[in-house]
Amino acid sequence: MKTTLISLSSAAVMICTGAGQTEKQPAGTTPEMAAVLAKDRAYEEAYAKADVKALAGFFTDDAEYTSDDGRIFSGAAAIEGSLRSAFASNKGAKISIKADSVKVLTPEVVVEKGSTVVTSSSGDESEALYTAVYLKKDGDWKISQLVETPATESSPGGKLSQLSWLIGEWEEADKDAGVTIHSEYQWSRGGSFITRNVTVKQGDEPVLEGWQIIGWDPVEQGIRSWTFDDQGGYAEGRWTGDGQRWLSRETGYSADGSRTTADNTISKSGDSTVFWESGNRTLDGDPQPGIGRIEIHRKKGE
């Protein structure tokens, strides 16, 4: 979940980029614009090193910073203190700065607008919008004023877009056992959840049905799922992944009240194939056999 300290550091980062770095600039870029954009890259590097002194050096002595929660920090020393506090609670964080516009008002004054993304060591992201006023002092550009505003929060559906490749119908079959499993993933009305319907058949006879809801948890700031079967069992899972490979750590109960756990992994392989496997399975705390990798195919015509 976004914190004030994180957003503060992200705003400071954008404004305070230090030493210039050489990078290819688009046609029409003025020397002033190039200098400010180079500072963005230098600030990112200093931020990755948690070099608070270097970061504070990107501000003028009388700089003023307004965080996205309305707090105001006046002077480089106050800004340095806010950065130090931010790093203390968010060790290993990195920042990415994206400038949307750089406007040269005079040869000594430049206004930059854009957005920042601060990524914590655990992968959580915090976004903010910023406007930074740079002044040229003794031949160097420094931030005189930085104003940060909250970024528009992504919708729950936007948070789930990493799993949009699941949408459609999927089938797997155990020919030796005569069992087929059919899964259909679809967006819920409004696009805030992904729903899955599962039917297991022995020959032509349905033997098990299940339902799953996958959604974004705004409290835990992560993807979660809730699964139910027609025999009365249920489970909840917490998902982590990188867009192509996802791990769902599930805990639940069978219909008779037995506690179950499992680590389920689903991996995308092309547009029409996924692999699923399950490990660390337990029943009332007793280890259970894992399930090896199963190849699942998208239904033809999808």
Side-chain angles (χ1 to χ4, degrees):
M1 184 175 292
K2 183 175 179 180
T3 66
T4 301
L5 291 177
I6 292 177
S7 69
L8 169 62
S9 53
S10 68
V13 172
M14 288 212 86
I15 301 184
C16 310
T17 43
Q21 302 245 333
T22 301
E23 64 177 283
K24 186 177 181 180
Q25 303 293 345
T29 300
T30 66
E32 294 87 357
M33 294 167 62
V36 168
L37 294 174
K39 283 191 170 287
D40 288 346
R41 304 289 78 78
Y43 195 91
E44 290 172 340
E45 293 183 9
Y47 195 91
K49 297 175 182 177
D51 191 338
V52 175
K53 285 291 185 183
L55 294 174
F58 292 123
F59 291 88
T60 61
D61 291 340
D62 60 351
E64 183 174 276
Y65 164 67
T66 302
S67 66
D68 66 348
D69 62 359
R71 293 186 302 158
I72 298 176
F73 300 87
S74 298
I79 294 172
E80 178 180 341
S82 70
L83 286 167
R84 195 176 301 282
S85 296
F87 281 118
S89 62
N90 195 21
K91 293 180 180 179
K94 297 179 184 283
I95 191 167
S96 174
I97 302 171
K98 179 180 180 293
D100 293 326
S101 67
V102 179
K103 186 175 182 180
V104 179
L105 301 184
T106 74
E108 287 78 33
V109 181
V110 172
V111 176
E112 180 187 24
K113 294 184 178 182
S115 60
T116 60
V117 177
V118 173
T119 304
S120 71
S121 58
S122 63
D124 294 331
E125 294 184 348
S126 175
E127 297 182 51
L129 305 178
Y130 71 94
T131 298
V133 178
Y134 282 86
L135 301 181
K136 194 172 186 178
K137 296 236 178 204
D138 299 324
D140 188 21
W141 290 96
K142 293 197 174 186
I143 298 167
S144 173
Q145 185 177 54
L146 173 63
V147 177
E148 186 183 41
T149 56
T152 302
E153 292 291 338
S154 299
S155 66
K159 301 287 190 180
L160 288 178
S161 62
Q162 303 171 81
L163 294 172
S164 61
W165 51 270
L166 284 172
I167 302 301
E169 296 185 55
W170 301 83
E171 291 183 337
E172 58 184 287
D174 185 337
K175 294 181 179 179
D176 294 334
V179 174
T180 60
I181 302 174
H182 179 271
S183 297
E184 181 178 4
Y185 293 86
Q186 56 185 337
W187 288 106
S188 65
R189 186 184 299 275
S192 295
F193 295 92
I194 293 175
T195 64
R196 176 193 180 197
N197 293 330
V198 185
T199 302
V200 181
K201 290 184 177 182
Q202 181 85 48
D204 294 329
E205 184 71 21
V207 295
L208 180 68
E209 288 186 276
W211 305 269
Q212 185 178 58
I213 299 173
I214 305 171
W216 175 260
D217 186 332
V219 177
E220 294 192 1
Q221 291 288 292
I223 295 175
R224 295 181 64 185
S225 62
W226 297 265
T227 307
F228 310 87
D229 65 56
D230 63 359
Q231 296 179 0
Y234 64 90
E236 61 176 325
R238 287 168 170 78
W239 293 53
T240 55
D242 59 5
Q244 305 294 313
R245 185 173 186 273
W246 289 84
L247 169 67
S248 173
R249 294 186 178 276
E250 291 193 346
T251 59
Y253 293 89
S254 60
D256 64 4
S258 300
R259 181 176 174 81
T260 63
T261 67
D263 289 347
N264 301 322
T265 302
I266 184 169
S267 306
K268 180 182 179 183
S269 178
D271 293 329
S272 58
T273 303
V274 298
F275 295 101
W276 182 89
E277 56 189 308
S278 184
N280 295 327
R281 301 170 66 84
T282 67
L283 180 64
D284 282 337
D286 296 327
Q288 301 295 306
I291 300 175
R293 192 162 80 159
I294 296 173
E295 187 172 328
I296 306 171
H297 298 280
R298 187 182 294 277
K299 187 177 179 180
K300 292 182 179 179
E302 281 288 303

